[in-house]
Amino acid sequence: MNARILRTPDADLAHHVHGPLPTADGRPPLVMIGQPMDSSGFRTLASLFPERTVVTYDPRGLGESVRRDGRLDHVPATQAADVHALVEALGAGPVEMFASSGGAVTALALVAAYPDDVTTLVAHEPPLFSVLPDAPAVQRASAAVGKAYQERGWGAGMAAFVAMTSWQGEFTADYFAQPAPDPAAFGLPTEDDGSRDDPLLSDRSAAVSAHRPDVAALTAAPTRIVIAVGEESRSTLTGRAAVATAELLGHRAAVFPSHHGGFLGPESGYAGQPEAFAARLREVLAGAD
């Protein structure tokens, strides 16, 4: 693994190249991006593609990447410009891309703005909540997560987030009638450490879930776009968003093993089925739907 830093005018973008450049097999590099997860979350998945050159990436302000733009928020258009700069710096584009969660939102913004950067994009459960039919209720549930975090700290906020993202189906009156979840029930801390800078629970990533994909640009792009959903999470918030996004683009979501983090290994604390996930990803990249 070759750790590198790409210096741009307002950020130092850390990334890791697993394998040779130019690639040994003549295929484009496989770039893996997430958000708020950094490149460390792809260690297991990258190791399951020993035949490929894999590039993993830390978005600006996350992991080992440093931002110098004086901002704290995560905006898909800015992140897309960063990934575009990375693709150019690799000198091996266009690339194939697997993108997870907020990284999938960035990847869709990338293809819309820079359509020649990616040949095939597999966007796994992009949290595009604005495309859901119950978007106002989703916004209310998300606001409650932020309120719990601001008032009672990380444990309370994360417990509320887990409850929200575990809910099956649309957000109904039954969801909002529930008592606030107990952090201890999830093995989370009950004390407040005073921090309020978590990229997931604060408002720093609000622009990610509020992003509205540019359908015209995405359908006009030469990129093959596959929206993926976990077989265990298709009825949850992110799974429903994936299905709705695929329909918006005129496709059906491709079903992958496991849940929202189905590619994660046991070291993550939220293990999926990484071997089965990698096998499915390999099939999809080869052209299967």
Side-chain angles (χ1 to χ4, degrees), residues 255-274:
V255 179
F256 272 61
S258 196
H259 47 59
H260 185 67
F263 54 90
L264 296 172
E267 72 284 351
S268 69
Y270 182 49
Q273 301 173 32

Side-chain angles (χ1 to χ4, degrees), residues 152 155-156 159 179-188 190:
R152 294 186 285 130
D182 179 8
F186 297 98
L188 296 168
T190 56

Side-chain angles (χ1 to χ4, degrees), residues 90-186:
L90 293 173
V95 302
E96 292 184 333
M97 183 169 291
F98 171 72
S100 168
S101 195
V105 177
T106 293
L108 290 169
L110 171 72
V111 171
Y114 308 98
D116 296 323
D117 278 3
V118 184
T119 57
T120 297
L121 165 64
V122 180
H124 186 252
E125 299 201 3
L128 294 169
F129 302 153
S130 64
V131 306
L132 289 168
D134 59 331
V138 173
Q139 186 176 18
R140 179 184 171 190
S142 183
V145 171
K147 185 172 186 288
Y149 176 58
Q150 292 298 327
E151 292 183 352
R152 294 186 285 130
W154 186 84
M158 184 55 71
F161 178 80
V162 172
M164 179 182 75
T165 55
S166 300
W167 183 259
Q168 301 288 314
E170 295 191 7
F171 288 91
T172 63
D174 288 341
Y175 174 83
F176 295 106
Q178 298 178 112
D182 179 8
F186 297 98

Side-chain angles (χ1 to χ4, degrees), residues 20-229:
L21 282 175
T23 61
D25 59 2
R27 296 183 65 182
L30 174 56
V31 178
M32 298 180 178
I33 64 173
Q35 191 177 327
M37 187 180 72
D38 60 32
S39 60
S40 63
F42 293 108
R43 286 173 184 160
T44 295
L45 185 60
S47 73
L48 295 170
F49 284 85
E51 77 282 8
R52 300 290 303 271
T53 293
V54 175
V55 180
T56 58
Y57 159 79
D58 293 354
R60 64 167 61 197
L62 299 171
E64 297 177 355
S65 289
V66 177
R67 65 191 308 170
R68 300 187 303 277
D69 58 357
R71 300 179 64 122
L72 298 173
D73 56 340
H74 302 287
V75 178
T78 302
Q79 304 284 15
D82 285 346
V83 179
H84 171 65
L86 175 63
V87 171
E88 286 197 324
L90 293 173
V95 302
E96 292 184 333
M97 183 169 291
F98 171 72
S100 168
S101 195
V105 177
T106 293
L108 290 169
L110 171 72
V111 171
Y114 308 98
D116 296 323
D117 278 3
V118 184
T119 57
T120 297
L121 165 64
V122 180
H124 186 252
E125 299 201 3
L128 294 169
F129 302 153
S130 64
V131 306
L132 289 168
D134 59 331
V138 173
Q139 186 176 18
R140 179 184 171 190
S142 183
V145 171
K147 185 172 186 288
Y149 176 58
Q150 292 298 327
E151 292 183 352
R152 294 186 285 130
W154 186 84
M158 184 55 71
F161 178 80
V162 172
M164 179 182 75
T165 55
S166 300
W167 183 259
Q168 301 288 314
E170 295 191 7
F171 288 91
T172 63
D174 288 341
Y175 174 83
F176 295 106
Q178 298 178 112
D182 179 8
F186 297 98
L188 296 168
T190 56
E191 68 279 3
D192 183 355
D193 66 4
S195 66
R196 294 295 185 273
D197 57 357
D198 186 277
L200 187 65
L201 302 177
S202 67
D203 60 359
R204 297 183 179 190
S205 296
V208 176
S209 57
H211 180 73
R212 187 81 184 184
D214 187 336
V215 174
L218 291 171
T219 53
T223 306
R224 173 178 169 246
I225 300 173
V226 178
I227 307 297
V229 63

